[in-house]
Amino acid sequence: MTFEPERMGYSSQELADKLRELRKRSGLSGARVAARSNMSQSKVSRIENGKVRPSLVDVEQILRAIDAPADLVAEISALARMANTDWQDARSLRRKGLDKKQFELAGLEKTSSDFRYFLLSMITGLLSTPEYIRASLGHIPGNHSKAVAKKLERQGVLYDRSKRFTFILTEQAVRWPLVPPDALAVQIDRLTSLTHLPNLRLGVIPIESTTTPAPLNTFTVYDDRIATVEVSTGILVLRDPRDVRSHLQEFAVYEELALFGEAARERLAEWSVNCRG
């Protein structure tokens, strides 16, 4: 079953309707399906009414409980993956206003406590200087003063001691010349200063490190419930536990390769000096 990216995240009700239809067709009551699926009857009811977004595991358990045919299992499983994946295309985000995305991110940050950022090609807004933030939006037409202000405001979350942050940056991300050399040196110095926050770990992966597998995307994991993946044309939001777990496992590989603490500060200082010539 094939879906266009724009359908991602809009399949939840369709999935609920399909599961309810298949359950009724099987002749089983909601209570019987719940017992066979090892979940509560209320959860099955909420899934069928579209009030709860089921994971792929939930869907597989229900499909086994009703003895769904193999062809329908493949179709419904594909639909479940789409329901657990949102696609936010860059053009739509820009039309709505980039500051609106900042409010969404602030909401995620408010409701999460453990953050993992893998930064492949540039520095994220939470770690950025005002000049770096403005430069990161420079290729997009329009006035982005509200978005810049909201990005800077969001940085306050780094000082919330109840939250834990781990940032891993490649050398390319740190040294990419998005701003002039003197401004980049200031940006690198900011990274160094943030390594002293007690609730924040910032690691760097030097270019000479052997990395397997080769990283393909920047991504963020919020607790163990949501992973977001950035590509040039938009952002994927993944909620299925297996997708999130896969990104946590990938992050752990990069964490083993990264330099932290004094080793990271020494490398950052070297790169800063190189910027200043």
Side-chain angles (χ1 to χ4, degrees), residues 185-197:
V186 172
Q187 171 62 76
I188 295 174
D189 292 344
R190 170 167 167 76
L191 297 179
T192 301
S193 70
L194 290 171
T195 65
H196 295 284
L197 289 178

Side-chain angles (χ1 to χ4, degrees), residues 218-231:
T218 284
F219 63 87
T220 305
V221 183
Y222 298 86
D223 297 324
D224 58 356
R225 60 193 179 92
I226 295 176
T228 62
V229 181
E230 297 181 37
V231 296

